[in-house]
Amino acid sequence: MNRFRLHPEICCTDGWHDAIDRIDPEFMPNLERAVATMDFWKCFDKDSSEKTKKGKKVLSPIIMNQHIETELKPLGYGKLTSDNYYPETFADAKRLRDIPHKDRKDFLAREAIPHTSGFIEGDFFRSGLLLEVQFGKYPFVDWDIDKSIEFFKRRMIRGGCVLVPMRSTQSLMSTGPANWQTAMGMFAEKRLDETLDFPFALIGLETDLTGELPKGVKRPKPQNVIDQFSLPL
């Protein structure tokens, strides 16, 4: 029996489900299958050095990301990249922000504006929909949302979402990763469901904690994962 699944509630803008069905109707089944086929036992390949979990095994975000990539890449989901330009002065940055992205490179050259170049990158993109997988620190969820907004402004995506751990999954990881509950609270406080002008969602990754855990894994206290501790899958 698998130990991972998607949380049934999705934090999203109005109409997200209908929009995703139009953009990529296979997306949710593909994502559900990708997380359901993760080998729970093989995902523990990291020894914690943190005080509260010293010497304990914790979930490896790298292994989890690699599995999702292994499942989605053959289906046509790939990286999405776009160039970024960073002027050296605030005055030039304000000039650049009013230039359409497709014209910025020529504008910088024509005006001889000193700058450096970089890029933004999205994890999994297909048919206009961008998926970011975020098992890292709290600020990275905000960054993934900002990237999605920028990709949309550049007319490179039609919708987006971020996969983040639920508390049940986070409880088996190193401390620091965001969880769906806190990200969802931020989403609501910022009224992103009302202000974003494209389909966007936060999707949670749950873990069944009722079964056996690998040797060396610290079992979380029930109050740390609320009702998910005994949530049947």
Side-chain angles (χ1 to χ4, degrees):
M1 183 177 71
N2 68 68
R3 302 284 289 271
F4 296 108
R5 77 165 185 182
L6 299 182
H7 186 56
E9 181 182 3
I10 294 180
C11 167
C12 60
T13 55
D14 290 341
W16 185 83
H17 295 85
D18 290 340
I20 297 312
D21 285 342
R22 293 192 302 271
I23 297 171
D24 185 355
E26 298 177 341
F27 171 72
M28 287 304 294
N30 288 337
L31 182 58
E32 289 168 356
R33 185 164 49 252
V35 302
T37 53
M38 279 196 294
D39 190 317
F40 178 72
W41 301 89
K42 290 182 179 178
C43 286
F44 290 91
D45 190 36
K46 181 180 178 183
D47 292 321
S48 176
S49 59
E50 297 168 347
K51 183 177 179 180
T52 58
K53 297 182 179 181
K54 188 76 172 179
K56 300 295 184 182
K57 292 286 186 182
V58 291
L59 288 172
S60 168
I62 294 176
I63 292 177
M64 297 167 74
N65 271 286
Q66 287 174 341
H67 175 83
I68 293 173
E69 180 177 8
T70 298
E71 291 294 315
L72 295 183
K73 189 174 180 179
L75 301 178
Y77 295 91
K79 300 290 186 183
L80 180 66
T81 61
S82 181
D83 292 332
N84 266 6
Y85 307 100
Y86 309 101
E88 295 183 1
T89 69
F90 183 43
D92 284 335
K94 289 192 293 183
R95 293 174 65 195
L96 188 64
R97 69 186 178 190
D98 294 326
I99 306 300
H101 183 263
K102 64 182 179 62
D103 299 326
R104 290 184 178 184
K105 184 176 181 179
D106 290 341
F107 174 79
L108 290 166
R110 184 172 64 251
E111 299 295 317
I113 295 175
H115 67 281
T116 57
S117 300
F119 64 93
I120 54 175
E121 181 177 85
D123 292 333
F124 302 100
F125 173 77
R126 190 183 84 168
S127 303
L129 179 63
L130 177 64
L131 165 67
E132 297 280 9
V133 176
Q134 189 49 259
F135 299 145
K137 304 293 184 180
Y138 286 95
F140 294 143
V141 176
D142 284 340
W143 172 232
D144 284 337
I145 294 174
D146 289 342
K147 277 195 299 179
S148 297
I149 292 172
E150 193 60 35
F151 278 127
F152 178 76
K153 287 168 57 178
R154 298 177 187 185
R155 299 185 177 182
M156 298 180 70
I157 67 171
R158 297 164 59 199
C161 56
V162 182
L163 179 68
V164 293
M166 299 297 291
R167 284 199 183 102
S168 56
T169 306
Q170 183 198 41
S171 68
L172 299 177
M173 306 176 80
S174 298
T175 57
N179 65 57
W180 182 86
Q181 286 89 341
T182 55
M184 176 267 295
M186 173 275 296
F187 194 93
E189 285 293 331
K190 291 184 176 181
R191 298 183 179 273
L192 295 180
D193 56 312
E194 300 174 352
T195 58
L196 289 180
D197 51 4
F198 68 103
F200 190 84
L202 297 174
I203 302 175
L205 175 65
E206 290 183 341
T207 302
D208 176 13
L209 301 177
T210 60
E212 183 182 358
L213 297 180
K215 184 178 179 180
V217 174
K218 182 178 180 180
R219 183 175 290 278
K221 297 178 180 179
Q223 62 266 30
N224 291 341
V225 289
I226 310 181
D227 60 329
Q228 294 177 65
F229 186 78
S230 59
L231 185 67
L233 292 186

